[in-house]
Every structure is written in structure tokens, then in C-alpha cells.
Amino acid sequence: MRGKFCELLSCVPKWDDRGPSLFLTGLFSQIDAIIGRPLPEVLAELPLKKEITDAITGHGPLRIALDLIEAFEQGNWSEISRLAAQIEIEAPQLQDIYFRAAGWPGLLEMAR
């Protein structure tokens, strides 16, 4: 879901050409917890763009995408509003993106 949420943020004008990078950012954002290895070690073995590894490790322009999904996961509405203003997107549009990601057919199939 994180990958799809981040990918859908490519509707933001400054990210309109970064859909694949945003998807991979979300997809690999918790790879260390999934495979039980330190994040720097895992990222060193993956052929990811620097902007993706930067976002996953806590900085860079795509980091806001991860901060947004984490704020949604925590129900931190004030943080969502703050981050939405930074990337110039309305909160209702973000909610739509979240629900679209949650209803992504790939996720529904995995849940069955």
C-alpha cells in the first residue's frame, strides 16, 4: 500500500515525472523490517536511484511522500495538513489518494 500511495502522489506537479521512483520509495520503505537486516546493508545491495535511498534513509525531496503515508498510518491529521501544504496538495485529494491505494486491486488479492 505504501508503494501505491507514494506512486499516486505523482499527481503533484513537482513529482509528475517521478511515479516509478515514488512507488519504489514506498515499496522499499520498510524492507529492513521485512527481511530482518540493517537498512544500510540492504540498501547497499539494491540498485536503487539515490533519490529513493535518500528518501528511505530520511532526507531528500521524496521523503515527504513517506512522511505523509506514516502520518496517515498514525492518524496524525495536523501533520498531514502541514505536509500537504508543503507539496501544494489539498487534504481531501490526499484522502482520495490514500483510499485509492488501500483499494488497489493488488492489495485486495493479497488479502484473500
Side-chain angles (χ1 to χ4, degrees):
M1 182 173 161
R2 281 181 168 219
K4 191 62 174 176
F5 176 86
C6 291
E7 178 187 40
L8 291 171
L9 287 174
S10 65
C11 70
V12 172
K14 67 181 180 179
W15 289 343
D16 65 348
D17 62 340
R18 291 195 170 137
S21 289
L22 285 160
F23 182 81
L24 291 173
T25 296
L27 183 69
F28 288 111
S29 64
Q30 296 182 321
I31 191 70
D32 56 329
I34 293 168
I35 64 172
R37 291 178 46 208
L39 186 60
E41 182 181 300
V42 175
L43 291 178
E45 296 176 12
L46 295 172
L48 298 172
K49 290 181 180 179
K50 184 174 178 354
E51 71 178 352
I52 297 168
T53 58
D54 283 351
I56 293 170
T57 57
H59 46 280
L62 300 184
R63 180 61 206 191
I64 294 174
L66 290 180
D67 292 341
L68 274 166
I69 189 62
E70 289 171 3
F72 268 99
E73 291 167 350
Q74 298 165 6
N76 189 340
W77 311 121
S78 61
E79 182 69 358
I80 292 167
S81 294
R82 186 185 74 75
L83 293 166
Q86 282 186 13
I87 61 171
E88 300 174 359
I89 190 170
E90 298 293 323
Q93 188 177 1
L94 276 176
Q95 290 174 331
D96 180 57
I97 288 170
Y98 183 81
F99 290 127
R100 284 175 53 205
W104 185 37
L107 289 176
L108 297 176
E109 291 301 317
M110 290 183 346
R112 292 183 187 170

